[in-house]
Amino acid sequence: MENNPRLLAVKTLSKISGGAYSNLQLNQVINNNNMSNRDIRLMTNIVYGVVQHRLTLEFYLKAFIKDGNKLDTWVRELLYSAIYQMKFLDKIPNRAILNESINIAKKLGHAGIRKMVTGVLHAVINKGLPSIDEISDNTKKLSIKYSVSEWIINELIQQLGMNKTISILESINLPSKQSIRFNSLVTNKSDVKTALISEGYSVEDSKVSENSLLVSKKSAAKSELFKMGKITIQDESAMLPVDSMKIKASDCILDACSAPGGKTIQIAEQLDEKLGGKVYAFDLHEKRLVKVKENAKRMHVDAVVKTKALDARKINNEFEDEYFDKILIDAPCSGIGLIRRKPEIRYEKKISDVEHLANIQLDILDAVAGKLKHGGVLTYSTCTILNQENSDVISNFLSQHSEFELLKTDENLIINCKDNEKWVRVFPDDFNSDGFFVCKLRKK
Ligand SMILES: C[S@@+](CC[C@H](N)C(=O)[O-])C[C@H]1O[C@@H](n2cnc3c(N)ncnc32)[C@H](O)[C@@H]1O
């Protein structure tokens, strides 16, 4: 029973409920247990499914147990996993889910708990789950149906309208895609496709970035190409900020918020050390830069990457004014655009976080602005879709920095700015990729 995927899912969910990150926790369980691919898929599906649908599952369980929060964590997670499988996984018969859940209750708890779990799940099967459509408050109904905090739904409706909000909410509970970027320094798209297919992967072109491929069937991190530094794992939308930068091989570039280095590496691949090309990669602490260095080494670009533990707001005495040809600020943000891949974000973040982060973003922009050469371009990006951290920050910055002007961001991209906007906004439902904001500012 130790390697049973449902038991491991319940244990993993209990840890996540105590604050652990789902992706890290899952990787640890997969590495420490000898499981078949099929069992790994089932466990991963249950864990992500329960985290993704937590508010919906809470609503369902409440119809059978008044205060689910008083239950031991593992019992609550066991009941959520069972209800998740009954409601969302068509292929598993209720009887099998019931038996497996009772066995887990037997293994982890005493006879009383086993009886209670059996009673609740029998009632769920016999009476059926309550109807979400009967919730009268519309925001609450959407919050329970899609399992997203009410404040996020209110912000989305206010900023994007009801239709776009529903479309985004529909998309964020779909499985996320696996996308890779190939290292154009050492290979090309066609060779990478051929090699991945021969390793047993399914491969598709990305509609978001020229340098990306969508890969399925197994983890791209296990491929030979990954080990050889010919590909890296990066969401297609996350490639847009650097795709838009029009880098020259001799550029001196600042990547002000760089860890774990996805975009630093993408910049570095386009630089030539012999021509003086280099990228300074900052992040708050040395510990966060370890991954940047590891990634730079694996991808064969460490010669042009200079890491530095530095709060970008304190750059002033470290570099002369007008030092950099180009600057990227891939800012710390609430990450609301990532809620498909990192489902915890939808419950953890609060509107006060968004307001606090907007201040930090503006402070970083303010601090580094003077370090850009005249005629140079500053690219600002976030993986959130809320205006407070995107267009509002940029408007605030421009109101205090008349030496900067907005450029059209899409010139170098295969996707376009929307309507009359100069910045690029990608929403999670546009391509089923991460949500992103990218904006280019030229110093006159
Ligand atoms: C969105 S992540 C960057 C992702 C990275 N650019 C990539 O592509 O892999 C934001 C980063 O900013 C860092 N950060 C937060 N505040 C900062 C500050 N004041 N100065 C420099 N880095 C900061 C965080 O530690 C985090 O690693």
Side-chain angles (χ1 to χ4, degrees):
M1 175 120 208
E2 289 307 322
N3 276 355
N4 179 297
R6 291 183 174 87
L7 173 66
L8 289 171
V10 171
K11 288 185 172 175
T12 308
L13 283 164
S14 303
K15 292 209 173 124
I16 293 170
S17 184
Y21 275 110
S22 49
N23 52 346
L24 302 182
Q25 202 54 46
L26 268 171
N27 281 346
Q28 201 177 332
V29 176
I30 291 167
N31 291 337
N32 293 346
N33 291 279
N34 190 13
M35 300 169 78
S36 68
N37 280 339
R38 193 159 162 258
D39 283 353
I40 290 176
R41 275 201 300 277
L42 177 61
M43 177 186 69
T44 308
N45 184 324
I46 295 174
V47 169
Y48 274 127
V50 170
V51 180
Q52 244 169 8
H53 296 279
R54 187 165 290 279
L55 300 185
T56 319
L57 295 167
E58 251 173 49
F59 169 80
Y60 287 149
L61 186 60
K62 230 185 224 156
F64 301 92
I65 294 184
K66 280 288 157 274
D67 196 351
N69 286 331
K70 286 208 178 121
L71 295 171
D72 281 350
T73 307
W74 73 265
V75 180
R76 195 181 62 226
E77 299 304 322
L78 172 62
L79 290 170
Y80 285 162
S81 342
I83 298 174
Y84 167 72
Q85 293 170 71
M86 288 176 186
K87 172 76 186 164
F88 295 98
L89 301 186
D90 298 339
K91 287 188 192 141
I92 309 179
N94 282 352
R95 175 106 347 242
I97 298 167
L98 182 67
N99 288 342
E100 290 268 356
S101 305
I102 294 170
N103 283 340
I104 294 170
K106 217 190 266 177
K107 166 136 185 85
L108 298 182
H110 53 72
I113 289 181
R114 193 195 68 220
K115 253 172 118 178
M116 186 271 286
V117 167
T118 310
V120 170
L121 294 182
H122 269 298
V124 169
I125 293 170
N126 294 335
K127 290 191 192 153
L129 294 167
S131 163
I132 294 172
D133 290 336
E134 278 160 26
I135 301 173
S136 53
D137 180 277
N138 200 36
T139 309
K140 188 161 182 62
K141 192 191 305 186
L142 293 175
S143 164
I144 300 289
K145 178 167 182 189
Y146 296 105
S147 201
V148 173
S149 298
E150 288 185 35
W151 75 266
I152 299 181
I153 294 184
N154 281 331
E155 288 296 322
L156 291 176
I157 294 174
Q158 208 186 326
Q159 296 181 19
L160 301 167
M162 187 59 89
N163 288 348
K164 184 67 178 171
T165 300
I166 304 263
S167 172
I168 291 172
L169 293 173
E170 287 281 344
S171 83
I172 55 167
N173 290 329
L174 298 173
S176 48
K177 296 181 287 185
Q178 175 175 231
S179 77
I180 60 108
R181 187 174 55 73
F182 57 89
N183 181 349
S184 50
L185 198 63
V186 294
T187 187
N188 58 61
K189 197 187 251 186
S190 136
D191 286 356
V192 167
K193 267 187 181 173
T194 312
L196 283 172
I197 291 166
S198 75
E199 279 195 53
Y201 292 90
S202 286
V203 185
E204 220 183 292
D205 282 333
S206 159
K207 294 190 180 73
V208 182
S209 173
E210 196 105 56
N211 300 317
S212 176
L213 290 168
L214 302 174
V215 174
S216 52
K217 285 206 174 145
K218 24 183 196 170
S219 163
K222 299 256 156 64
S223 71
E224 284 308 307
L225 292 183
F226 183 86
K227 288 175 204 148
M228 289 191 287
K230 292 189 174 183
I231 62 168
T232 194
I233 296 166
Q234 192 176 19
D235 188 79
E236 354 167 44
S237 306
M239 299 174 199
L240 292 172
V242 180
D243 280 353
S244 77
M245 279 174 75
K246 288 193 179 168
I247 293 167
K248 285 203 221 118
S250 58
D251 276 341
C252 174
I253 298 183
L254 169 64
D255 183 359
C257 306
S258 69
K263 297 179 194 66
T264 312
I265 311 306
Q266 196 182 350
I267 291 170
E269 284 168 20
Q270 300 176 55
L271 298 173
D272 186 340
E273 190 193 7
K274 291 190 210 87
L275 300 176
K278 52 181 159 318
V279 51
Y280 286 87
F282 292 178
D283 211 283
L284 287 176
H285 308 293
E286 200 56 56
K287 216 171 119 198
R288 293 204 47 82
L289 291 166
V290 171
K291 271 269 170 267
V292 181
K293 289 183 211 167
E294 274 172 22
N295 280 332
K297 196 148 199 231
R298 183 178 60 81
M299 296 295 281
H300 318 287
V301 293
D302 43 332
V304 291
V305 175
K306 319 274 173 214
T307 57
K308 190 168 177 62
L310 186 70
D311 183 327
R313 292 169 294 184
K314 299 190 178 140
I315 190 175
N316 202 20
N317 296 328
E318 303 282 335
F319 291 87
E320 294 157 27
D321 283 349
E322 292 170 32
Y323 189 86
F324 297 101
D325 296 303
K326 296 187 175 81
I327 294 179
L328 171 65
I329 300 176
D330 187 36
C333 72
S334 59
I336 305 295
L338 305 184
I339 55 182
R340 183 185 299 112
R341 243 169 357 102
K342 294 190 180 166
E344 299 93 335
I345 287 177
R346 56 180 94 187
Y347 317 118
E348 278 172 5
K349 296 291 175 194
K350 305 191 178 60
I351 186 77
S352 55
D353 295 322
V354 169
E355 287 152 7
H356 174 66
L357 284 157
N359 288 331
I360 295 177
Q361 291 152 356
L362 190 58
D363 287 347
I364 296 177
L365 273 160
D366 257 341
V368 305
K371 305 299 166 188
L372 183 68
K373 287 182 184 164
H374 284 281
V377 175
L378 188 162
T379 302
Y380 173 84
S381 58
T382 72
C383 52
T384 190
I385 52 175
L386 298 180
N387 292 343
Q388 290 94 323
E389 298 176 71
N390 296 335
S391 50
D392 291 357
V393 170
I394 295 301
S395 302
N396 264 335
F397 175 76
L398 286 173
S399 71
Q400 293 158 31
H401 289 271
S402 56
E403 75 279 21
F404 277 86
E405 63 185 357
L406 269 176
L407 286 186
K408 235 172 153 282
T409 303
D410 63 4
E411 280 173 347
N412 229 21
L413 304 179
I414 58 170
I415 60 166
N416 299 113
C417 298
K418 289 195 178 87
D419 308 324
N420 294 325
E421 293 171 351
K422 289 203 166 167
W423 41 67
V424 165
R425 294 197 290 171
V426 175
F427 294 98
D429 60 323
D430 292 343
F431 304 97
N432 283 335
S433 63
D434 289 345
F436 244 85
F437 175 84
V438 191
C439 173
K440 283 172 56 164
L441 299 160
R442 188 176 154 277
K443 196 172 189 180
K444 295 177 204 160

